[in-house]
Amino acid sequence: MKKKINNKTSLIAYLIANGISVPHYCYHNDLSIAGNCRVCLVELKNSMKPVVSCATNARVALQNSSVYHDSALVKKARENILEFLLLNHPLDCPICDQGGDCDLQDQSLFFGFTKRRFYKFKRIVSDKELGPIVKTVMTRCIHCTRCVRFAAEIAGTEELGVFGRGSASEIGTYIDKVLTTELSGNIIDLCPVGSFTSKKFSRQKLK
Ligand code: SF4
Ligand code: FES
Protein backbone atom coordinates (compact mmCIF):
# COMPACT_ATOMS: atom_id res chain seq x y z
CA MET A 1 0.00 0.00 0.00
CA LYS A 2 1.40 3.38 -1.03
CA LYS A 3 -0.89 6.05 0.36
CA LYS A 4 0.69 8.10 3.18
CA ILE A 5 -1.27 8.51 6.36
CA ASN A 6 -1.30 11.10 9.09
CA ASN A 7 -2.44 10.79 12.69
CA LYS A 8 -6.04 11.53 11.79
CA THR A 9 -6.50 9.29 8.76
CA SER A 10 -9.29 6.82 9.27
CA LEU A 11 -8.84 3.23 8.25
CA ILE A 12 -11.62 3.46 5.68
CA ALA A 13 -10.03 6.53 4.05
CA TYR A 14 -6.73 4.69 3.89
CA LEU A 15 -8.27 1.56 2.36
CA ILE A 16 -10.30 3.52 -0.22
CA ALA A 17 -7.28 5.64 -1.16
CA ASN A 18 -5.43 2.43 -1.87
CA GLY A 19 -8.09 1.12 -4.20
CA ILE A 20 -9.88 -1.18 -1.76
CA SER A 21 -13.64 -1.05 -1.93
CA VAL A 22 -15.29 -0.72 1.48
CA PRO A 23 -19.07 -0.29 1.60
CA HIS A 24 -20.16 2.74 3.59
CA TYR A 25 -23.29 4.78 4.10
CA CYS A 26 -22.71 7.15 6.99
CA TYR A 27 -19.05 7.86 6.21
CA HIS A 28 -18.22 10.84 4.02
CA ASN A 29 -14.78 12.31 3.62
CA ASP A 30 -15.93 15.86 4.31
CA LEU A 31 -18.19 15.16 7.27
CA SER A 32 -17.54 14.20 10.88
CA ILE A 33 -17.56 10.52 11.75
CA ALA A 34 -20.89 9.09 12.93
CA GLY A 35 -20.14 5.36 12.80
CA ASN A 36 -23.79 4.40 12.84
CA CYS A 37 -24.49 2.37 9.69
CA ARG A 38 -21.90 -0.29 10.72
CA VAL A 39 -21.45 -1.63 7.21
CA CYS A 40 -17.78 -0.64 6.84
CA LEU A 41 -16.65 -3.48 9.10
CA VAL A 42 -13.17 -4.94 8.73
CA GLU A 43 -11.32 -7.57 10.72
CA LEU A 44 -8.24 -6.81 12.80
CA LYS A 45 -5.93 -9.65 13.70
CA ASN A 46 -5.84 -8.76 17.39
CA SER A 47 -9.49 -7.89 17.76
CA MET A 48 -12.12 -10.36 18.96
CA LYS A 49 -14.77 -8.88 16.70
CA PRO A 50 -14.96 -6.82 13.50
CA VAL A 51 -14.46 -3.07 13.88
CA VAL A 52 -15.97 -0.18 11.93
CA SER A 53 -13.18 1.12 9.73
CA CYS A 54 -14.52 4.69 9.56
CA ALA A 55 -14.13 5.12 13.31
CA THR A 56 -10.76 3.36 13.52
CA ASN A 57 -7.50 5.24 13.24
CA ALA A 58 -5.45 3.87 10.34
CA ARG A 59 -2.05 4.41 11.92
CA VAL A 60 -2.97 2.70 15.18
CA ALA A 61 -4.64 -0.21 13.38
CA LEU A 62 -1.77 -0.78 10.96
CA GLN A 63 0.92 -0.47 13.62
CA ASN A 64 -0.71 -2.90 16.01
CA SER A 65 -2.42 -5.39 13.78
CA SER A 66 -3.09 -6.81 10.34
CA VAL A 67 -6.24 -5.66 8.57
CA TYR A 68 -8.49 -8.08 6.67
CA HIS A 69 -11.08 -6.38 4.50
CA ASP A 70 -12.52 -9.35 2.61
CA SER A 71 -12.31 -12.29 5.01
CA ALA A 72 -15.23 -14.66 5.50
CA LEU A 73 -16.00 -12.99 8.85
CA VAL A 74 -16.10 -9.54 7.26
CA LYS A 75 -18.39 -10.71 4.48
CA LYS A 76 -20.74 -12.39 6.93
CA ALA A 77 -20.78 -9.38 9.25
CA ARG A 78 -21.53 -6.95 6.42
CA GLU A 79 -24.21 -9.24 5.10
CA ASN A 80 -25.90 -9.25 8.52
CA ILE A 81 -25.68 -5.48 8.82
CA LEU A 82 -27.24 -5.13 5.40
CA GLU A 83 -30.07 -7.37 6.43
CA PHE A 84 -30.74 -5.10 9.40
CA LEU A 85 -30.66 -2.02 7.19
CA LEU A 86 -33.20 -3.62 4.90
CA LEU A 87 -35.57 -4.53 7.73
CA ASN A 88 -37.62 -1.40 7.23
CA HIS A 89 -36.34 -0.13 3.92
CA PRO A 90 -39.03 -0.61 1.26
CA LEU A 91 -38.11 -2.74 -1.74
CA ASP A 92 -39.44 -0.16 -4.16
CA CYS A 93 -36.36 0.24 -6.37
CA PRO A 94 -38.37 0.10 -9.63
CA ILE A 95 -40.23 3.29 -8.74
CA CYS A 96 -37.45 5.01 -6.80
CA ASP A 97 -35.73 7.98 -8.41
CA GLN A 98 -32.48 6.82 -6.84
CA GLY A 99 -32.78 3.37 -8.45
CA GLY A 100 -29.65 2.50 -10.41
CA ASP A 101 -27.61 5.03 -8.45
CA CYS A 102 -28.24 3.76 -4.93
CA ASP A 103 -25.51 2.53 -2.59
CA LEU A 104 -27.95 0.33 -0.69
CA GLN A 105 -29.24 -1.23 -3.90
CA ASP A 106 -25.67 -1.87 -5.07
CA GLN A 107 -24.72 -3.64 -1.86
CA SER A 108 -27.97 -5.62 -1.80
CA LEU A 109 -27.24 -6.87 -5.30
CA PHE A 110 -23.66 -7.63 -4.33
CA PHE A 111 -24.69 -9.72 -1.35
CA GLY A 112 -27.48 -11.24 -3.40
CA PHE A 113 -30.23 -11.44 -0.83
CA THR A 114 -32.97 -13.78 -1.91
CA LYS A 115 -34.38 -14.85 1.43
CA ARG A 116 -36.16 -12.65 3.91
CA ARG A 117 -36.34 -13.02 7.67
CA PHE A 118 -38.16 -10.74 10.14
CA TYR A 119 -40.25 -9.26 7.35
CA LYS A 120 -43.67 -9.42 8.97
CA PHE A 121 -44.13 -5.71 8.66
CA LYS A 122 -42.18 -2.62 7.72
CA ARG A 123 -42.58 0.66 9.49
CA ILE A 124 -43.95 3.68 7.69
CA VAL A 125 -42.59 7.19 8.17
CA SER A 126 -44.48 10.21 6.91
CA ASP A 127 -42.76 12.35 4.29
CA LYS A 128 -41.51 15.81 5.11
CA GLU A 129 -42.04 19.04 3.24
CA LEU A 130 -38.53 20.34 2.67
CA GLY A 131 -39.19 23.03 0.12
CA PRO A 132 -38.96 23.43 -3.64
CA ILE A 133 -35.78 21.42 -4.26
CA VAL A 134 -35.92 18.25 -2.17
CA LYS A 135 -38.51 15.51 -2.54
CA THR A 136 -38.70 13.18 0.44
CA VAL A 137 -39.68 9.55 0.88
CA MET A 138 -38.71 9.10 4.52
CA THR A 139 -39.69 5.44 4.79
CA ARG A 140 -36.52 4.74 2.81
CA CYS A 141 -34.24 6.46 5.34
CA ILE A 142 -31.54 4.29 6.93
CA HIS A 143 -30.58 6.97 9.51
CA CYS A 144 -27.03 7.44 8.35
CA THR A 145 -27.33 11.13 9.43
CA ARG A 146 -25.27 12.40 6.53
CA CYS A 147 -27.96 15.01 5.82
CA VAL A 148 -28.02 16.16 9.44
CA ARG A 149 -24.25 16.52 9.58
CA PHE A 150 -24.15 18.29 6.22
CA ALA A 151 -26.73 20.83 7.39
CA ALA A 152 -24.87 21.49 10.63
CA GLU A 153 -21.26 21.26 9.50
CA ILE A 154 -21.24 22.49 5.90
CA ALA A 155 -24.41 24.50 5.28
CA GLY A 156 -24.26 26.04 8.76
CA THR A 157 -27.99 25.75 9.27
CA GLU A 158 -28.95 23.29 11.96
CA GLU A 159 -32.35 22.62 10.50
CA LEU A 160 -32.31 18.84 10.28
CA GLY A 161 -32.15 16.45 13.19
CA VAL A 162 -32.92 12.92 14.35
CA PHE A 163 -36.13 12.59 16.33
CA GLY A 164 -37.33 9.60 18.34
CA ARG A 165 -35.31 6.57 19.35
CA GLY A 166 -34.79 3.04 18.13
CA SER A 167 -37.35 1.97 15.56
CA ALA A 168 -39.19 5.27 16.10
CA SER A 169 -36.20 7.32 14.88
CA GLU A 170 -36.79 9.62 12.00
CA ILE A 171 -35.14 12.54 10.28
CA GLY A 172 -36.98 15.84 10.27
CA THR A 173 -36.79 19.56 10.83
CA TYR A 174 -36.90 21.03 14.34
CA ILE A 175 -39.77 23.29 13.45
CA ASP A 176 -42.07 23.03 10.46
CA LYS A 177 -39.74 24.75 8.11
CA VAL A 178 -38.80 24.30 4.47
CA LEU A 179 -35.21 24.27 3.27
CA THR A 180 -34.88 27.26 0.99
CA THR A 181 -31.13 27.51 0.53
CA GLU A 182 -29.68 26.26 -2.77
CA LEU A 183 -27.18 24.36 -0.64
CA SER A 184 -30.00 22.12 0.56
CA GLY A 185 -30.00 20.42 -2.84
CA ASN A 186 -26.70 18.80 -1.89
CA ILE A 187 -28.45 16.45 0.51
CA ILE A 188 -29.98 14.83 -2.57
CA ASP A 189 -26.53 13.67 -3.64
CA LEU A 190 -25.38 12.93 -0.12
CA CYS A 191 -28.26 10.65 0.79
CA PRO A 192 -27.07 7.10 0.03
CA VAL A 193 -30.63 5.89 -0.53
CA GLY A 194 -33.72 7.42 -2.12
CA SER A 195 -35.00 9.36 0.89
CA PHE A 196 -34.05 12.66 -0.70
CA THR A 197 -34.38 13.05 -4.45
CA SER A 198 -34.82 15.99 -6.77
CA LYS A 199 -38.32 17.39 -6.83
CA LYS A 200 -37.77 19.04 -10.16
CA PHE A 201 -36.57 15.90 -11.90
CA SER A 202 -38.89 13.44 -10.19
CA ARG A 203 -39.84 10.60 -12.53
CA GLN A 204 -43.42 10.74 -11.40
CA LYS A 205 -43.55 14.43 -12.31
CA LEU A 206 -41.99 13.85 -15.72
CA LYS A 207 -44.59 11.26 -16.70
S1 SF4 B 1 -32.42 10.97 4.77
FE1 SF4 B 1 -30.77 9.97 3.62
S2 SF4 B 1 -28.93 11.13 4.26
FE2 SF4 B 1 -30.51 11.60 5.76
S3 SF4 B 1 -30.22 10.10 7.39
FE3 SF4 B 1 -31.74 9.23 5.99
S4 SF4 B 1 -30.55 7.95 4.61
FE4 SF4 B 1 -29.11 9.33 5.61
S1 FES C 1 -19.45 3.92 7.18
FE1 FES C 1 -18.54 3.22 8.99
S2 FES C 1 -20.18 2.94 10.34
FE2 FES C 1 -21.09 3.82 8.57
Side-chain angles (χ1 to χ4, degrees):
M1 293 194 181
K2 299 156 252 144
K3 168 89 181 161
K4 291 227 166 80
I5 48 177
N6 61 39
N7 286 338
K8 289 188 179 167
T9 307
S10 63
L11 190 51
I12 192 171
Y14 177 76
L15 292 171
I16 291 173
N18 283 286
I20 294 167
S21 167
V22 181
H24 54 277
Y25 300 122
C26 68
Y27 169 76
H28 190 285
N29 208 21
D30 294 323
L31 299 174
S32 61
I33 300 296
N36 55 14
C37 77
R38 317 304 287 179
V39 82
C40 66
L41 293 165
V42 293
E43 188 180 350
L44 299 184
K45 193 175 179 186
N46 302 328
S47 172
M48 288 174 66
K49 52 188 180 182
V51 297
V52 282
S53 56
C54 66
T56 301
N57 182 280
R59 178 158 284 165
V60 174
L62 294 166
Q63 273 172 358
N64 299 323
S65 188
S66 302
V67 179
Y68 306 103
H69 60 87
D70 63 352
S71 64
L73 176 68
V74 168
K75 284 181 185 155
K76 187 67 192 157
R78 288 180 187 168
E79 189 181 305
N80 289 340
I81 293 293
L82 203 66
E83 187 171 9
F84 273 117
L85 290 174
L86 288 171
L87 275 184
N88 285 307
H89 186 83
L91 303 181
D92 61 350
C93 304
I95 57 154
C96 177
D97 283 330
Q98 189 85 5
D101 186 25
C102 173
D103 295 345
L104 191 62
Q105 187 184 38
D106 288 349
Q107 290 303 322
S108 306
L109 291 172
F110 177 76
F111 284 109
F113 277 129
T114 53
K115 287 187 191 154
R116 299 178 182 190
R117 297 185 289 174
F118 323 121
Y119 283 77
K120 291 226 169 11
F121 65 89
K122 285 180 187 260
R123 73 182 198 138
I124 294 170
V125 182
S126 58
D127 295 340
K128 309 287 181 284
E129 176 51 54
L130 291 188
I133 303 172
V134 185
K135 177 185 160 188
T136 69
V137 181
M138 299 315 292
T139 300
R140 295 177 186 151
C141 176
I142 57 168
H143 308 116
C144 71
T145 69
R146 271 190 190 185
C147 55
V148 176
R149 283 174 285 142
F150 172 82
E153 296 165 14
I154 308 284
T157 53
E158 300 200 7
E159 287 165 338
L160 292 172
V162 187
F163 301 90
R165 302 188 66 176
S167 63
S169 302
E170 55 179 277
I171 300 291
T173 48
Y174 290 105
I175 49 174
D176 272 345
K177 190 174 172 184
V178 295
L179 300 177
T180 47
T181 162
E182 279 286 328
L183 226 46
S184 69
N186 287 296
I187 60 175
I188 296 168
D189 284 335
L190 269 181
C191 182
V193 296
S195 293
F196 294 149
T197 51
S198 167
K199 218 173 224 176
K200 193 172 169 192
F201 296 103
S202 164
R203 263 186 231 162
Q204 280 159 15
K205 200 176 167 186
L206 294 175
K207 268 196 297 190

